PDB file of all heavy atoms in Angstrom:
ATOM      1  N   ARG A  53      84.422 148.302 164.254  1.00  0.00           N
ATOM      2  CA  ARG A  53      83.445 149.150 163.563  1.00  0.00           C
ATOM      3  C   ARG A  53      83.981 149.546 162.194  1.00  0.00           C
ATOM      4  O   ARG A  53      85.186 149.719 162.015  1.00  0.00           O
ATOM      5  CB  ARG A  53      83.133 150.400 164.391  1.00  0.00           C
ATOM      6  CG  ARG A  53      82.297 150.092 165.619  1.00  0.00           C
ATOM      7  CD  ARG A  53      82.256 151.269 166.566  1.00  0.00           C
ATOM      8  NE  ARG A  53      81.651 152.469 165.970  1.00  0.00           N
ATOM      9  CZ  ARG A  53      80.340 152.662 165.851  1.00  0.00           C
ATOM     10  NH1 ARG A  53      79.490 151.755 166.279  1.00  0.00           N
ATOM     11  NH2 ARG A  53      79.864 153.774 165.316  1.00  0.00           N
ATOM     12  N   THR A  54      83.061 149.701 161.242  1.00  0.00           N
ATOM     13  CA  THR A  54      83.465 149.978 159.869  1.00  0.00           C
ATOM     14  C   THR A  54      82.774 151.234 159.354  1.00  0.00           C
ATOM     15  O   THR A  54      81.589 151.441 159.620  1.00  0.00           O
ATOM     16  CB  THR A  54      83.098 148.781 158.958  1.00  0.00           C
ATOM     17  OG1 THR A  54      83.816 147.633 159.409  1.00  0.00           O
ATOM     18  CG2 THR A  54      83.459 149.050 157.507  1.00  0.00           C
ATOM     19  N   CYS A  55      83.525 152.060 158.657  1.00  0.00           N
ATOM     20  CA  CYS A  55      82.904 153.201 157.976  1.00  0.00           C
ATOM     21  C   CYS A  55      83.030 152.987 156.484  1.00  0.00           C
ATOM     22  O   CYS A  55      83.889 152.230 156.028  1.00  0.00           O
ATOM     23  CB  CYS A  55      83.568 154.511 158.395  1.00  0.00           C
ATOM     24  SG  CYS A  55      85.219 154.773 157.704  1.00  0.00           S
ATOM     25  N   VAL A  56      82.164 153.642 155.727  1.00  0.00           N
ATOM     26  CA  VAL A  56      82.133 153.434 154.279  1.00  0.00           C
ATOM     27  C   VAL A  56      82.158 154.780 153.559  1.00  0.00           C
ATOM     28  O   VAL A  56      81.307 155.637 153.797  1.00  0.00           O
ATOM     29  CB  VAL A  56      80.866 152.655 153.864  1.00  0.00           C
ATOM     30  CG1 VAL A  56      80.866 152.418 152.356  1.00  0.00           C
ATOM     31  CG2 VAL A  56      80.772 151.331 154.610  1.00  0.00           C
ATOM     32  N   ARG A  58      81.556 155.921 150.064  1.00  0.00           N
ATOM     33  CA  ARG A  58      81.019 155.338 148.842  1.00  0.00           C
ATOM     34  C   ARG A  58      81.403 156.160 147.630  1.00  0.00           C
ATOM     35  O   ARG A  58      81.258 157.381 147.630  1.00  0.00           O
ATOM     36  CB  ARG A  58      79.493 155.263 148.966  1.00  0.00           C
ATOM     37  CG  ARG A  58      78.843 154.180 148.143  1.00  0.00           C
ATOM     38  CD  ARG A  58      77.407 153.954 148.567  1.00  0.00           C
ATOM     39  NE  ARG A  58      77.299 153.402 149.920  1.00  0.00           N
ATOM     40  CZ  ARG A  58      77.521 152.136 150.245  1.00  0.00           C
ATOM     41  NH1 ARG A  58      77.882 151.278 149.312  1.00  0.00           N
ATOM     42  NH2 ARG A  58      77.402 151.717 151.486  1.00  0.00           N
ATOM     43  N   ASN A  82      80.320 158.258 156.094  1.00  0.00           N
ATOM     44  CA  ASN A  82      80.489 158.191 157.544  1.00  0.00           C
ATOM     45  C   ASN A  82      81.933 157.874 157.966  1.00  0.00           C
ATOM     46  O   ASN A  82      82.189 157.580 159.129  1.00  0.00           O
ATOM     47  CB  ASN A  82      79.443 157.274 158.199  1.00  0.00           C
ATOM     48  CG  ASN A  82      79.553 155.826 157.764  1.00  0.00           C
ATOM     49  OD1 ASN A  82      80.524 155.441 157.102  1.00  0.00           O
ATOM     50  ND2 ASN A  82      78.571 155.012 158.152  1.00  0.00           N
ATOM     51  N   CYS A  83      82.869 157.950 157.015  1.00  0.00           N
ATOM     52  CA  CYS A  83      84.289 157.902 157.413  1.00  0.00           C
ATOM     53  C   CYS A  83      84.741 159.272 157.921  1.00  0.00           C
ATOM     54  O   CYS A  83      85.788 159.384 158.558  1.00  0.00           O
ATOM     55  CB  CYS A  83      85.169 157.474 156.246  1.00  0.00           C
ATOM     56  SG  CYS A  83      85.004 155.722 155.854  1.00  0.00           S
ATOM     57  N   PHE A  86      85.289 159.541 161.622  1.00  0.00           N
ATOM     58  CA  PHE A  86      85.235 158.167 162.143  1.00  0.00           C
ATOM     59  C   PHE A  86      86.363 157.972 163.155  1.00  0.00           C
ATOM     60  O   PHE A  86      87.514 158.327 162.897  1.00  0.00           O
ATOM     61  CB  PHE A  86      85.370 157.180 160.975  1.00  0.00           C
ATOM     62  CG  PHE A  86      85.329 155.731 161.351  1.00  0.00           C
ATOM     63  CD1 PHE A  86      84.220 155.189 161.970  1.00  0.00           C
ATOM     64  CD2 PHE A  86      86.401 154.888 161.039  1.00  0.00           C
ATOM     65  CE1 PHE A  86      84.163 153.833 162.295  1.00  0.00           C
ATOM     66  CE2 PHE A  86      86.369 153.537 161.356  1.00  0.00           C
ATOM     67  CZ  PHE A  86      85.246 153.019 161.985  1.00  0.00           C
TER      68      PHE A  86
HETATM   69  C1  NAG B 301      78.481 153.605 157.963  1.00  0.00           C
HETATM   70  O1  NAG B 301      77.462 153.276 157.021  1.00  0.00           O
HETATM   71  C2  NAG B 301      77.383 151.892 156.708  1.00  0.00           C
HETATM   72  C3  NAG B 301      76.279 151.737 155.697  1.00  0.00           C
HETATM   73  O2  NAG B 301      76.519 152.469 154.542  1.00  0.00           O
HETATM   74  C4  NAG B 301      77.107 151.066 157.926  1.00  0.00           C
HETATM   75  O3  NAG B 301      77.141 149.687 157.588  1.00  0.00           O
HETATM   76  C5  NAG B 301      78.180 151.344 158.972  1.00  0.00           C
HETATM   77  O4  NAG B 301      77.883 150.662 160.163  1.00  0.00           O
HETATM   78  C6  NAG B 301      78.266 152.836 159.239  1.00  0.00           C
HETATM   79  N1  NAG B 301      79.391 153.052 160.137  1.00  0.00           N
HETATM   80  C7  NAG B 301      79.353 153.927 161.138  1.00  0.00           C
HETATM   81  C8  NAG B 301      80.598 154.052 161.961  1.00  0.00           C
HETATM   82  O5  NAG B 301      78.371 154.610 161.387  1.00  0.00           O
END
Side-chain angles (χ1 to χ4, degrees):
R53 288 168 61 80
T54 298
C55 73
V56 181
R58 206 166 293 283
N82 63 10
C83 287
F86 180 61

